[in-house]
Amino acid sequence: SQKIEQNSEALNIQEGKTATLTCNYTNYSPAYLQWYRQDPGRGPVFLLLIRENEKEKRKERLKVTFDTTLKQSLFHITASQPADSATYLCALMNTGFQKLVFGTGTRLLVSP
Amino acid sequence: EPEVTQTPSHQVTQMGQEVILRCVPISNHLYFYWYRQILGQKVEFLVSFYNNEISEKSEIFDDQFSVERPDGSNFTLKIRSTKLEDSAMYFCASSARQGWRETQYFGPGTRLLVL
C-alpha cells in the first residue's frame, strides 16, 4: 500500500543551525512533492513545490531536494529561528492535479 | 494577499444533526477541495470539485457528505447526519488553473465537534 513517512519524533535544534527534515514514500510515483507548514489549530501553509524532474528547489532560507530513485525528499531550513517552530508536512500529488496525500508531519522546535 | 476563508471557525453539534461548513475560495481559482484532520492525525483528502461537479473523492466521502458551489463565491461541505467520528478539523483549499493549479491554498479550518 502507499505510504508516506516522516519522522514522528520532534526535531529539536538550536537557533542558527540548519534543520533537515525527511520524507520517504513507498508504492507511489508522484509528479509533484510539496512541503507545507502547519501551526497548531491552523491550516497548512504552502512553502515549496518540486516536480519529479527537478532535483532541488530553493526559496530564501528553504531548500528542498527530491530523489525519485531513493523515493525521498529532504527539506532544509538554514539559519533557523524560533519562529520556524511548527509542524512541517510533506505531501505528494499525482499527475491528475487532484488530491494531495499528506505525511503525518514532523514537529520542529527551534530554541534560542 | 488573497486567502481562503472558512466559517464557522468552530461548530458543536449533536450526533445525527446536519452541518454545513462554508468556504470562500480565492477569487479566480477554479479547483476546490475539502480535507479533514482528526486530532493528532494526518490531513486526509475528502473531495475535489471542478466545473460544478465532483472530480475525485475518497472512501471517507460517503453518501452522508455532499458539496456544493451555490453561487460564484461560496463552496460548502454538508454532512447530513453527523457521527461522533466526524469530529475533526475540516479544511477547504483552492488552486488556480494552468500550471500553477497544483499549488493548493488552505483555509484556516473549521473545528467540528460532534457530541
Side-chain angles (χ1 to χ4, degrees), chain A residues 1-70:
Chain A
S1 61
Q2 296 174 344
K3 197 182 285 188
I4 303 170
E5 292 181 331
Q6 296 185 253
N7 289 346
S8 56
E9 292 184 16
L11 178 64
N12 290 279
I13 64 167
Q14 276 215 298
E15 183 175 9
K17 301 291 186 186
T18 296
T20 298
L21 286 69
T22 305
C23 174
N24 295 295
Y25 59 91
T26 54
N27 296 323
Y28 209 100
S29 296
Y32 306 89
L33 188 144
Q34 305 186 30
W35 284 88
Y36 284 79
R37 168 182 173 142
Q38 187 176 30
D39 291 286
R42 307 299 300 271
V45 175
F46 172 75
L47 296 175
L48 278 172
L49 176 153
I50 187 165
R51 293 177 174 81
E52 61 179 339
N53 59 351
E54 297 175 320
K55 297 292 186 190
E56 183 179 297
K57 205 78 168 282
R58 291 174 186 261
K59 180 183 174 184
E60 297 172 354
R61 295 185 295 112
L62 309 180
K63 184 178 87 171
V64 173
T65 62
F66 192 13
D67 189 327
T68 55
T69 302
L70 290 178

Side-chain angles (χ1 to χ4, degrees), chain A residues 34 36 38 51 97-98 100, chain B residues 35 37 48 56 102 104:
Chain A
Q34 305 186 30
Y36 284 79
Q38 187 176 30
R51 293 177 174 81
F97 304 110
Q98 301 291 348
L100 283 168
Chain B
Y35 292 80
Q37 186 175 31
S48 60
E56 188 174 356
E102 62 267 34
Q104 295 182 19

Side-chain angles (χ1 to χ4, degrees), chain B residues 19 50 68:
Chain B
V19 295
Y50 169 69
E68 191 178 31

